[in-house]
Amino acid sequence: MYPENEIFREGLDELAGHYREILRLLGEDPDREGLLKTPMRVAKAMQVLTRGYEMDAHKVLTDALFQEDYSQMVIVKNIDFFSMCEHHMLPFYGQAHVAYIPNGYITGLSKIARVVDIYSHRLQVQERLTLQIKECIQQTLKPLGVMVVVEARHMCMQMRGVEKQNSITTTSEFCGAFNQAKTRQEFMNLLHDNGNHI
């Protein structure tokens, strides 16, 4: 269900027209009752799923930038995301885990999750998504180091091709202080610490 005040991008009607033709090419009757509104529904869904093209992830971070004398690791883990594989335009989904070591500035914790959201709402491959999150945080906050780990399931592997339902793909990117194995290991230890300390 889309909110009544949802603003969609230019080209929505044209996009819906293409989906109507796709239905016909797949052997369906786009004029039958169950499919009459499908082209527009899919067009709206695709614009929502690719809304990240309209957003500036760097600005999200700078809008909540605070000077702070804190130089230990900041970790935001288990950030749920959904994205679309650019090869088959099927979903892949999972969790991103982000750590950075401030260098005089921190950002609002929710903004890290927003960065993940922005880059995941584009046609993607997991490797690029991981790199873009890392580079955005590194370029904007200029911390002492950044590390990003992304774990995801890919519907293009589960529904078609090899049809392996239980496979999980893990990617990582790091720079700065995380080039040291000890710092990376500290992050991984904290990442897999499932104890409830709150």
Side-chain angles (χ1 to χ4, degrees):
M1 187 74 180
Y2 297 97
E4 290 183 6
N5 61 350
E6 181 84 56
I7 298 174
F8 293 98
R9 305 199 297 274
E10 186 179 347
L12 183 65
D13 290 333
E14 185 179 359
L15 189 58
H18 287 297
Y19 278 115
R20 177 181 167 82
E21 181 63 9
I22 287 170
L23 287 173
R24 187 189 68 76
L25 290 170
L26 290 174
E28 266 291 357
D29 174 10
D31 291 318
R32 72 175 175 84
E33 184 180 4
L35 293 177
L36 280 175
K37 296 183 179 180
T38 296
M40 183 55 73
R41 288 191 187 110
V42 177
K44 287 180 177 180
M46 289 304 296
Q47 283 206 355
V48 169
L49 293 171
T50 59
R51 65 178 180 255
Y53 290 118
E54 300 279 293
M55 301 177 181
D56 184 344
H58 296 273
K59 186 175 187 304
V60 164
L61 292 178
T62 56
D63 282 350
L65 197 60
F66 309 103
Q67 194 165 0
E68 193 66 46
D69 186 22
Y70 181 83
S71 58
Q72 300 302 311
M73 200 179 299
V74 176
I75 301 175
V76 183
K77 64 181 183 177
N78 302 330
I79 304 169
D80 293 322
F81 75 89
F82 295 87
S83 193
M84 296 285 285
C85 165
E86 68 179 33
H87 297 148
H88 301 98
M89 291 183 68
L90 288 171
F92 68 95
Y93 61 95
Q95 293 185 324
H97 317 284
V98 180
Y100 75 98
I101 301 174
N103 186 21
Y105 290 91
I106 60 171
T107 189
L109 296 176
S110 68
K111 305 308 179 184
I112 300 294
R114 289 280 293 130
V115 169
V116 174
D117 186 61
I118 288 170
Y119 287 117
S120 64
H121 279 80
R122 301 177 183 185
L123 296 182
Q124 278 289 11
V125 294
Q126 184 175 332
E127 296 86 345
R128 185 193 309 128
L129 173 63
T130 309
L131 177 63
Q132 287 176 331
I133 296 167
K134 187 266 293 184
E135 287 188 337
C136 178
I137 294 168
Q138 177 63 31
Q139 293 168 6
T140 309
L141 299 183
K142 296 179 172 47
L144 298 176
V146 183
M147 184 164 179
V148 179
V149 174
V150 175
E151 302 170 301
R153 295 180 182 271
H154 293 250
M155 297 305 287
C156 58
M157 285 184 65
Q158 294 179 330
M159 295 175 65
R160 56 161 300 284
V162 294
E163 296 185 8
K164 301 302 179 189
Q165 282 73 39
N166 296 311
S167 64
I168 297 174
T169 301
T170 302
T171 50
S172 66
E173 279 285 347
F174 52 86
C175 63
F178 289 96
N179 284 315
Q180 300 176 25
K182 181 180 178 182
T183 309
R184 289 199 306 276
Q185 190 58 52
E186 180 185 350
F187 171 49
M188 297 306 292
N189 290 342
L190 291 168
L191 189 61
H192 294 108
D193 179 8
N194 294 319
N196 186 0
H197 303 294
I198 297 176

